[in-house]
């Protein structure tokens, strides 16, 4: 086989793998306002007007990954600025985690037993209603979840901040709320979140009811901000159409 033929075969295999591999994420804004989406360690950031989507691909083995929305941002032409919630060091293309409060979609791909692990978390507080889940649901805990209650409107006064509702760990710190020195349990303030978003992480050791799994290699995902354009609990579908011109590779 000639060198040219070898290169062509390699290119075609890479293209097919890239085109059809799982781990494609669609981030869609259905809020009646602009959201500056953020994703680390894969993705970066993107401004999304209402109705716009952003697609990117996360390779197998990606872990400690987050997707969130930022609000009330102002960036210059160089991508530097500031956001009222979810700010990540004053840049459009995030490299680190966002500043609370921010509703989080978290994931780790192709971990043990060839499973993806993912969740919605309000451990860093809440700023935007969110749904998150597989576009092709499977058995067990492989199905979309959501956190769409009116948490900002009902937020306890001690946790209320401009643009969102902080988690008690962010506000008060300490073992009781942050679980940094061993086992801990829910508190009245973490229950405020759990009662409104039962599928979401409400404190750091909330694993039994809040971790979801799907089979690796066969699953793509969708995050939607304001799934219904409001904060009302409803159900949703997750169609996935991927324009090749907007798909990004890490």
């Amino acid at each position: 086989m000639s060198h040219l033929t070898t290169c062509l075969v390699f290119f075609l295999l890479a293209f097919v793998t890239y085109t059809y591999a799982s781990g494609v994420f669609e981030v869609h804004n259905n809020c009646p306002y602009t959201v500056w989406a953020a994703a680390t360690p894969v993705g970066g950031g993107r401004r999304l007007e209402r109705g716009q989507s952003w697609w990117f691909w996360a390779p197998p083995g990606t872990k400690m990954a987050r997707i969130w929305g930022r609000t009330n941002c102002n960036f210059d032409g160089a991508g530097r600025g500031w956001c009222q919630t979810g700010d990540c060091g004053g840049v459009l293309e995030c490299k680190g985690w966002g500043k609370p409060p921010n509703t989080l979609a978290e994931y780790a791909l192709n971990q043990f037993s060839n499973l993806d692990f993912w969740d919605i978390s309000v451990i860093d507080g809440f700023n935007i209603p969110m749904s998150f889940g597989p576009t092709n649901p499977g058995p067990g805990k492989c199905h979309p979840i959501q956190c769409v209650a009116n948490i900002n409107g009902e937020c306890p006064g001690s946790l209320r901040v401009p643009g969102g509702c902080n988690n008690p760990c962010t506000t008060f710190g300490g073992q009781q709320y942050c679980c940094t020195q061993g086992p801990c349990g829910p508190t009245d303030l973490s229950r405020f979140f759990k009662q409104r978003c039962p599928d979401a992480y409400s404190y750091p050791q909330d694993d039994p009811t809040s971790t979801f799994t799907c089979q690796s290699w066969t699953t793509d995902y969708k995050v939607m901000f304001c799934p219904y354009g409001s904060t009302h609990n409803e159900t949703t579908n997750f169609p996935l159409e991927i324009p090749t011109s907007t798909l990004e590779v890490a």
Side-chain angles (χ1 to χ4, degrees), residues 127-200:
N127 65 337
I128 304 174
M130 174 188 289
S131 61
F132 179 31
T135 61
N136 46 332
K141 299 189 76 173
C142 183
H143 60 81
I145 59 175
Q146 59 188 5
C147 180
V148 295
N150 186 21
I151 289 179
N152 288 344
E154 300 173 357
C155 184
S158 61
L159 304 180
R160 190 182 298 272
V161 293
C165 185
N166 264 333
N167 188 276
C169 176
T170 303
T171 302
F172 303 112
Q175 167 64 12
Q176 178 184 10
Y177 297 117
C178 300
C179 310
T180 54
Q181 300 174 352
C184 69
T187 65
D188 287 343
L189 289 175
S190 72
R191 291 188 185 98
F192 163 80
F193 291 95
K194 195 67 174 179
Q195 289 167 358
R196 288 157 178 80
C197 293
D199 288 333

Side-chain angles (χ1 to χ4, degrees), residues 205-220:
Q205 295 181 13
D206 203 6
D207 299 68
T209 61
S210 305
T211 300
F212 294 79
T213 58
C214 290
Q215 188 66 44
S216 298
W217 305 106
T218 61
T219 309
D220 298 313

Side-chain angles (χ1 to χ4, degrees), residues 1-197:
M1 185 181 293
S2 69
H3 177 69
L4 179 60
T5 303
T6 302
C7 290
L8 180 59
V9 170
F10 177 81
F11 172 80
L12 290 174
L13 287 173
F15 175 78
V16 170
T17 301
Y18 165 71
T19 303
Y20 294 102
S22 61
V24 173
F25 287 78
E26 179 189 358
V27 183
H28 181 82
N29 179 26
N30 195 47
C31 298
Y33 49 83
T34 304
V35 173
W36 286 260
T40 61
V42 177
R46 179 71 61 87
R47 174 176 175 147
L48 296 177
E49 303 295 341
R50 183 174 189 174
Q52 290 186 328
S53 286
W54 168 39
W55 287 266
F56 63 86
W57 178 68
T62 300
K63 57 185 178 180
M64 297 183 67
R66 295 181 167 191
I67 301 169
W68 70 98
R70 295 168 287 175
T71 60
N72 296 324
C73 301
N74 187 11
F75 292 103
D76 62 20
R80 297 188 177 278
W82 175 84
C83 297
Q84 183 182 51
T85 65
D87 187 74
C88 61
V91 295
L92 174 62
E93 294 282 344
C94 292
K95 304 297 183 184
W97 291 357
K99 181 180 179 181
N102 52 341
T103 318
L104 296 173
E106 303 178 309
Y107 65 92
L109 301 182
N110 194 28
Q111 303 300 300
F112 64 88
S113 298
N114 292 319
L115 292 175
D116 297 340
F117 292 80
W118 55 276
D119 63 80
I120 290 177
S121 173
V122 290
I123 292 178
D124 278 3
F126 179 99
N127 65 337
I128 304 174
M130 174 188 289
S131 61
F132 179 31
T135 61
N136 46 332
K141 299 189 76 173
C142 183
H143 60 81
I145 59 175
Q146 59 188 5
C147 180
V148 295
N150 186 21
I151 289 179
N152 288 344
E154 300 173 357
C155 184
S158 61
L159 304 180
R160 190 182 298 272
V161 293
C165 185
N166 264 333
N167 188 276
C169 176
T170 303
T171 302
F172 303 112
Q175 167 64 12
Q176 178 184 10
Y177 297 117
C178 300
C179 310
T180 54
Q181 300 174 352
C184 69
T187 65
D188 287 343
L189 289 175
S190 72
R191 291 188 185 98
F192 163 80
F193 291 95
K194 195 67 174 179
Q195 289 167 358
R196 288 157 178 80
C197 293

Side-chain angles (χ1 to χ4, degrees), residues 222-238:
K222 182 173 184 175
V223 173
M224 184 181 292
F225 303 124
C226 304
Y228 322 105
S230 68
T231 59
H232 298 294
N233 278 307
E234 300 179 48
T235 57
T236 188
N237 296 315
F238 289 76

